[in-house]
Amino acid sequence: MNRAGIIGAGPSGFYAADQLLRAGWEVDLYDALPTPYGLVRAGVAPDHPKIKSVTRVYAKTAAHAAFRFFGGVTLGTDVTRDDLRQRYSAVVYAIGTSVDNRLGIPGEDRPGPYPATEFVAWYNGHPHFSNHQFDLNGGRAVVIGNGNVAIDVARMLVLDPGELAPTDTADHAIEAFGMAGVREVVVLGRRGPAEAAFTNPELRELGELKRADVIVDPAQLEDVEVGEVPDMPQRRNVEILREYAKRVPEGKTHRLELRFLRSPLEILGEGEHGAVTGVRVSINRLVPGSGGSIRAEPTGEEEVIECGLVLRSIGYRGVPCAEIPFDEARGLIRNEGGGVVTEDGGRCPGEYVVGWIKRGPSGVIGTNKKDANDTVARILEDAGAGGLPTTATELADSDAVAAWLGERVAGGPVSWAGWEAIDARESALGEPHRRPRVKLVRIAELIEAARIAGPK
Ligand code: NAP
């Protein structure tokens, strides 16, 4: 039987696993963390439990007899690319895009303009970020970017404690949000209301916040003709924003403002390296760009928005890993249609890629299903054509793989049963508080909970 090693147990890794299992393959799914589910656990906003319920689908995949989970195994540290290529007919990288894009403006390196990636990971209890400190004392926060991540972080900053309480937000973040001094969040888009990348439900949700008025200056929509907005989601966004612009603020304790046509020029602060005091922005106009696109151009006018916190949310990018061919310009594993290729276009037989590290950080969770299906179709085609370097008969038996990992990882990797033990522990901690779970946020606690299950 062919066997695949999939690296990364987020949505794209699970969709690839499911497809390969259906094709009769054995699948070993690896993750650097002791826990599965990638951004569903550590990225999706905790007040969106319906989105998180997709994990039930992944748990069904994991129940397949030919599936194994190896948690707590890091590619590049515990195991090498060669180790994997020797042990699998196909290695599928599903490692996501783990860092954020930078603005490249003065002041970005002072403490305080935080990457949204880290803020999101922190409030979601990702163990690598649970010790981070975010200064939430300033009265006004500025969020740079007009995507759904920007909306998520802006919303989290103004959620009512009652809205936060029934969620699986990490306890350290619930406590910090409870003491936060942020009363106003300004979300900045460099282009206009019709170009924002928000999806409609996420934008609509801002109008339903318990303790925050949503503020949109009607002047920003004056030049926008709904009928001329080409795409339906963007047209709806404009309609939603028009409705917000008509609202009279109810005098809620918090405000969330959506301000468009603003590009950050400089993060201002105390002295050269001191805390953030504001953002200097250029006021833009829209002009036609290449290929029918619309781009922002500075008008020459500027404004300063005073604030004590800046969150940068302008998209994610991947980082090079384990000498897998990497396209620096795009921040992705170099690939053609899901097959890993070298810089000169040569195929790396038996190596594949799925998800954000294949196509970039775009789309919703379900987008990864089609994406993974396409890569798996390619794997099966290559297998049928004899194009995989290690055939099923040449593979070491599956027990040998487990034994090898047992030597590589102190205490051995976390099995699926180990994850189930973690899950049970977290759920039990949450139950008395009517929360889905209380997350364990340190590697040692997670491993300890997993060990109750013993090795699989
Ligand atoms: P995104 O949707 O690509 O949005 C990035 C934003 O950053 C855009 O508004 C972009 O503006 C702006 N930007 C880029 N470079 C900039 C610069 N130098 N200065 C100012 N602004 C800049 O990325 P994301 O918000 O990180 O989301 C990633 C993916 O996850 C998206 O597909 C998103 O829908 C998805 N997601 C979904 C949910 C959900 O379904 N609830 C939640 C979170 C994330 P331009 O358009 O002008 O380039």
Side-chain angles (χ1 to χ4, degrees):
M1 197 186 279
N2 274 308
R3 186 183 313 128
I6 301 177
I7 317 306
S12 63
F14 265 101
Y15 290 125
D18 183 59
Q19 288 302 312
L20 286 163
L21 289 163
R22 284 171 197 269
W25 284 48
E26 288 177 5
V27 171
D28 289 346
L29 181 61
Y30 289 74
D31 204 283
L33 291 180
T35 51
Y37 303 148
L39 280 183
V40 178
R41 181 173 162 97
V44 171
D47 62 332
H48 283 170
K50 267 198 199 139
I51 300 183
K52 285 179 187 267
S53 65
V54 69
T55 56
R56 283 192 217 125
V57 176
Y58 308 149
K60 273 193 191 148
T61 300
H64 199 291
F67 174 94
R68 291 187 299 186
F69 177 62
F70 293 123
V73 185
T74 304
L75 173 60
T77 313
D78 299 316
V79 297
T80 66
R81 180 182 173 205
D82 270 345
D83 287 334
L84 296 169
R85 285 191 295 200
Q86 283 158 18
R87 286 168 176 83
Y88 295 99
S89 320
V91 181
V92 183
Y93 304 113
I95 55 179
T97 49
S98 54
V99 299
D100 74 312
N101 288 325
R102 290 175 60 85
L103 291 158
I105 58 171
E108 204 172 3
D109 289 321
R110 56 174 76 249
Y114 304 111
T117 41
E118 293 181 11
F119 189 60
V120 168
W122 168 78
Y123 65 61
N124 271 313
H126 188 301
H128 296 168
F129 298 88
S130 49
N131 284 334
H132 275 40
Q133 304 281 333
F134 294 92
D135 184 351
L136 307 180
N137 292 319
R140 184 183 293 131
V142 168
V143 177
I144 299 166
N146 262 188
N148 281 335
V149 173
I151 286 210
D152 278 348
V153 298
R155 193 182 66 252
M156 288 298 289
L157 281 167
V158 296
L159 274 192
D160 184 79
E163 289 168 311
L164 215 49
T167 70
D168 67 0
T169 307
D171 279 354
H172 55 249
I174 292 186
E175 195 185 332
F177 284 131
M179 296 190 307
V182 175
R183 293 287 174 274
E184 183 181 354
V185 179
V186 180
V187 179
L188 293 183
R190 65 176 166 184
R191 297 192 290 160
E195 287 75 35
F198 313 136
T199 48
N200 305 145
E202 277 62 31
L203 182 58
R204 218 173 269 125
E205 210 179 347
L206 296 185
E208 293 156 14
L209 291 166
K210 232 186 211 170
R211 68 169 179 177
D213 281 314
V214 61
I215 311 289
V216 176
D217 179 354
Q220 300 186 104
L221 289 141
E222 268 168 14
D223 296 338
V224 185
E225 283 299 330
V226 175
E228 286 173 17
V229 179
D231 300 322
M232 192 43 110
Q234 268 70 33
R235 204 179 295 175
R236 289 243 161 82
N237 275 351
V238 171
E239 286 164 2
I240 297 165
L241 290 164
R242 276 201 197 292
E243 194 266 303
Y244 290 166
K246 279 191 204 137
R247 288 190 187 186
V248 178
E250 291 175 37
K252 294 181 182 176
T253 53
H254 292 63
R255 287 163 54 99
L256 195 161
E257 183 190 340
L258 298 159
R259 202 179 294 184
F260 298 95
L261 298 172
R262 301 290 189 277
S263 287
L265 297 172
E266 183 180 2
I267 309 291
L268 305 170
E270 290 160 3
E272 213 177 319
H273 304 291
V276 169
T277 55
V279 189
R280 184 166 64 86
V281 301
S282 101
I283 300 177
N284 301 332
R285 67 168 82 88
L286 295 175
V287 293
S290 57
S293 65
I294 305 280
R295 69 181 177 83
E297 181 183 82
T299 58
E301 276 182 81
E302 294 183 7
E303 69 183 11
V304 169
I305 306 171
E306 286 176 15
C307 63
L309 172 69
V310 174
L311 290 165
R312 175 179 71 210
S313 179
I314 58 165
Y316 294 49
R317 60 185 284 115
V319 286
C321 174
E323 291 167 23
I324 304 161
F326 193 75
D327 181 342
E328 276 293 346
R330 300 184 65 208
L332 306 175
I333 289 181
R334 204 175 276 282
N335 76 95
E336 278 170 20
V340 177
V341 294
T342 58
E343 200 172 346
D344 54 18
R347 274 297 307 275
C348 298
E351 289 182 284
Y352 301 87
V353 65
V354 289
W356 280 9
I357 196 66
K358 166 187 171 186
R359 67 174 197 278
S362 64
V364 291
I365 291 170
T367 313
N368 294 299
K369 189 168 184 179
K370 161 88 173 68
D371 175 297
N373 287 357
D374 291 346
T375 295
V376 170
R378 181 98 195 250
I379 297 173
L380 300 179
E381 202 180 296
D382 288 349
L388 299 180
T390 319
T391 63
T393 43
E394 288 162 356
L395 288 175
D397 70 51
S398 59
D399 289 345
V401 173
W404 158 72
L405 282 170
E407 285 165 18
R408 286 298 177 90
V409 180
V414 171
S415 64
W416 191 256
W419 154 244
E420 285 175 328
I422 295 171
D423 188 29
R425 172 106 185 94
E426 291 187 336
S427 305
L429 289 170
E431 214 206 321
H433 309 286
R434 300 187 178 194
R435 295 173 63 190
R437 66 183 62 247
V438 171
K439 279 185 177 165
L440 304 177
V441 299
R442 313 218 180 276
I443 294 286
E445 307 175 311
L446 289 160
I447 299 279
E448 192 198 330
R451 294 286 175 246
I452 293 168
K456 191 177 171 184

